[in-house]
Amino acid sequence: DFCAMIIIKYNKTKKGISDMQLNIRLQKILDILLNNDYTKLEKIMKSLNVSKRTAYYDISKINEYLQKSGLEITNIRNLGYHINPCDKDDIKKLLKYSTDDYILSPKERSIKIIIDLLIGLEKSTIEKYCDSLYVSRNTILGDIKEVKKYINKYNLTLNTQGGYTLEGKEKEKRYLFINLYNEYGYLFYEYELIEEYKSIKTEIEKLDLDILKHNNLNYILMYLTIFYKYYYKKSMNCFHKEDIQFLQNLTSNDDAKVLLNSIRNIISKDISDMEVYYIQTFLVSDNDIRKFFNEHKLKDEYISSVKMMVKEFEKISCISIDDYETLEKDILNHLMPSLFRIKYGVYYPNIVKNEIKKKYKSVYQFTKQAIKHVDNLMDMFLNEDEIAYVSMYFGGYTSKMGVEIKIPKIVIVCNFGMATSQLLKN
């Protein structure tokens, strides 16, 4: 009876995950798409012995499933169906997570706890996490330690009195929320709002707004819908006066107002007018931000930090940099839009991050160390996505100079035997 009770409780709790599973045929189609750069419809029809109509319908169902996590299959004319290589790992994680027998890793459990703390739909307690994550009290206590370490990077702390709550500035909380969404999108699946997202997009399309041309439109709409529905509790009143004046004079301000009203109406939530600037931070173009920085000489605040970053990279990598001025200018030019957005808890995910980390492995590690010395001076936390972008500039410079960076290999020689050598190695 006790075992039966556990099974009943487990199946009841897992129902939300079971509901999102794809059937076997759809999984086979997705496997074909994941293992090929481009796939013609005829190949899918032949592989699964289905009609053209069925193949179209199946791909539409898969896309509907993927779009709930901000992912999609595109149809490239004359080439076939295509999945962005940078999305393939996320899709594989999503498929793995959607199975009934999937067990969260310790890292994923910690992230789930943080997401819950940010959304805060009900009181956060150890008992609640034991029940929802199917682990013991001691395991949750260990996870809580990891949670504290993780949120500390964002200058946030954990209040343990009367249940767990996050303490810190609203900007840092928002920056943590968007980082988790970008890095662990598949763990947000239960908060999907696909119908609301579609309704907001339809309204914008009717009005023919400029934001329809935005490269990250689908991402922006999906993220803001989830953010305002589940996270939003109070407005962020930290926008500087000169930044507000800058944003008000742009055409994207009108688009942001329309988008804010649309979100208000569709998710039925009272959202402060001040949120228009937060929304506009997603929409404002990089060139407008660079122009603003140049006109107000704001980039002067960061020049010394970028110079120090380049010097630190040179010292760590042991590469002599000849043209400091050009490299510093390129890095600062890239960073300006990011610095503006990060200031208000906004950033876009770097879709080529994993590729950069593999291709420029050593450069990435050196850049990470160099940035660690200056992000405090910049008064902001640069995450792995930004580090990967900056490492592209260092990687491009070293390639241009014909320098190949390799992490030096160490040889351990010890005349006392293998055991001591292994100990030294460890």
Side-chain angles (χ1 to χ4, degrees):
D1 288 346
F2 178 67
C3 291
M5 182 179 73
I6 291 173
I7 292 166
I8 290 166
K9 184 177 180 182
Y10 176 81
N11 286 336
K12 183 180 177 183
T13 314
K14 292 283 280 185
K15 185 177 183 297
I17 294 175
S18 301
D19 286 347
M20 70 184 188
Q21 283 184 280
L22 297 172
N23 66 40
I24 293 170
R25 191 175 73 226
L26 299 187
Q27 286 191 29
K28 283 181 179 177
I29 293 172
L30 198 44
D31 283 339
I32 293 170
L33 295 170
L34 286 169
N35 291 313
N36 292 277
D37 289 334
Y38 297 94
T39 308
K40 291 283 183 76
L41 189 70
E42 291 74 18
K43 182 176 180 179
I44 294 170
M45 292 164 56
K46 189 176 179 181
S47 298
L48 281 87
N49 194 24
V50 294
S51 68
K52 193 173 191 177
R53 184 179 177 182
T54 301
Y56 271 131
Y57 176 77
D58 285 350
I59 291 168
S60 174
K61 291 294 289 181
I62 295 168
N63 239 343
E64 188 177 305
Y65 170 81
L66 294 177
Q67 284 170 350
K68 293 172 183 178
S69 296
L71 305 163
E72 68 175 337
I73 301 163
T74 54
N75 189 5
I76 311 297
R77 190 175 180 182
N78 297 326
L79 291 174
Y81 290 98
H82 173 71
I83 294 175
N84 190 316
C86 301
D87 291 341
K88 288 186 177 182
D89 283 344
D90 288 336
I91 292 172
K92 287 172 185 175
K93 285 179 187 175
L94 182 63
L95 289 175
K96 190 178 177 185
Y97 180 62
S98 69
T99 58
D100 273 342
D101 59 350
Y102 183 73
I103 298 171
L104 293 172
S105 69
K107 177 78 170 181
E108 288 169 328
R109 284 200 309 270
S110 299
I111 298 302
K112 285 287 283 182
I113 291 171
I114 297 170
I115 293 170
D116 181 80
L117 289 165
L118 285 163
I119 289 173
L121 297 175
E122 56 183 83
K123 189 176 178 181
S124 299
T125 62
I126 291 176
E127 289 72 24
K128 173 189 172 182
Y129 296 133
C130 289
D131 191 46
S132 63
L133 299 172
Y134 321 114
V135 290
S136 69
R137 184 183 179 87
N138 283 341
T139 301
I140 292 296
L141 289 171
D143 292 339
I144 294 293
K145 288 180 182 178
E146 293 305 312
V147 166
K148 288 178 179 177
K149 287 181 190 175
Y150 195 94
I151 64 174
N152 185 54
K153 293 185 293 185
Y154 296 85
N155 297 317
L156 298 170
T157 57
L158 195 62
N159 187 331
T160 58
Q161 293 187 355
Y164 294 112
T165 53
L166 280 179
E167 301 290 333
K169 293 180 181 177
E170 177 66 14
K171 182 191 76 174
E172 269 75 20
K173 288 181 182 178
R174 292 189 181 204
Y175 193 48
L176 171 60
F177 190 87
I178 199 168
N179 267 276
L180 294 179
Y181 180 81
N182 291 343
E183 196 70 26
Y184 300 95
Y186 65 102
L187 294 179
F188 281 78
Y189 200 97
E190 61 201 87
Y191 305 109
E192 65 188 38
L193 290 164
I194 193 69
E195 292 307 317
E196 290 86 346
Y197 154 79
K198 284 180 178 178
S199 298
I200 293 168
K201 191 171 183 180
T202 300
E203 275 199 14
I204 291 169
E205 286 170 343
K206 284 178 184 175
L207 296 168
D208 195 27
L209 299 180
D210 286 343
I211 56 173
L212 290 169
K213 301 169 189 172
H214 202 292
N215 291 335
N216 295 298
L217 178 65
N218 289 337
Y219 163 84
I220 291 168
L221 296 184
M222 182 67 76
Y223 174 76
L224 289 176
T225 306
I226 292 173
F227 174 83
Y228 282 111
K229 176 70 174 180
Y230 292 110
Y231 172 82
Y232 177 78
K233 301 173 190 69
K234 62 178 181 178
S235 189
M236 182 174 65
N237 297 315
C238 67
F239 275 86
H240 301 167
K241 187 178 178 180
E242 60 271 24
D243 291 349
I244 290 176
Q245 289 173 346
F246 156 63
L247 292 170
Q248 283 176 337
N249 292 324
L250 299 173
T251 55
S252 56
N253 186 252
D254 294 329
D255 288 356
K257 286 177 182 175
V258 173
L259 183 50
L260 173 59
N261 286 327
S262 180
I263 294 170
R264 273 178 180 151
N265 295 334
I266 288 167
I267 67 171
S268 302
K269 197 159 184 178
D270 183 25
I271 304 170
S272 166
D273 288 340
M274 283 298 292
E275 288 298 307
V276 73
Y277 303 115
Y278 179 68
I279 293 172
Q280 193 180 350
T281 306
F282 285 88
L283 307 180
V284 61
S285 74
D286 290 356
N287 285 336
D288 281 335
I289 295 173
R290 289 190 184 103
K291 187 179 177 183
F292 174 64
F293 266 68
N294 288 320
E295 286 176 353
H296 293 77
K297 297 184 178 178
L298 295 175
K299 65 179 185 179
D300 295 348
E301 299 174 23
Y302 302 104
I303 286 174
S304 59
S305 297
V306 172
K307 284 179 181 292
M308 190 181 295
M309 186 195 301
V310 174
K311 283 282 187 185
E312 199 63 37
F313 180 88
E314 183 181 44
K315 186 172 79 175
I316 294 166
S317 66
C318 300
I319 290 175
S320 178
I321 294 174
D322 299 324
D323 193 355
Y324 284 106
E325 192 175 337
T326 301
L327 185 55
E328 289 161 1
K329 184 182 175 183
D330 288 345
I331 292 173
L332 184 56
N333 192 51
H334 159 78
L335 279 176
M336 280 188 276
S338 300
L339 292 169
F340 183 86
R341 292 192 177 98
I342 291 169
K343 184 165 57 171
Y344 299 115
V346 171
Y347 92 95
Y348 288 123
N350 183 346
I351 61 171
V352 293
K353 177 179 66 177
N354 293 330
E355 192 177 337
I356 292 166
K357 287 171 77 172
K358 287 177 185 174
K359 187 174 181 180
Y360 296 115
K361 188 176 180 181
S362 304
V363 176
Y364 176 84
Q365 290 300 330
F366 293 145
T367 306
K368 192 173 183 178
Q369 291 178 59
I371 283 179
K372 196 186 294 181
H373 289 272
V374 299
D375 56 4
N376 285 334
L377 293 173
M378 290 179 161
D379 191 29
M380 57 188 63
F381 169 66
L382 297 177
N383 63 14
E384 288 196 353
D385 293 71
E386 282 304 324
I387 293 169
Y389 276 129
V390 176
S391 69
M392 288 174 70
Y393 289 90
F394 285 121
Y397 182 84
T398 55
S399 297
K400 188 171 72 174
M401 296 296 292
V403 178
E404 186 180 358
I405 299 180
K406 290 183 178 178
I407 299 286
K409 293 182 180 178
I410 299 170
V411 178
I412 299 170
V413 181
C414 180
N415 62 349
F416 286 102
M418 183 62 75
T420 309
S421 297
Q422 286 298 317
L423 180 61
L424 286 168
K425 178 184 172 185
N426 290 333

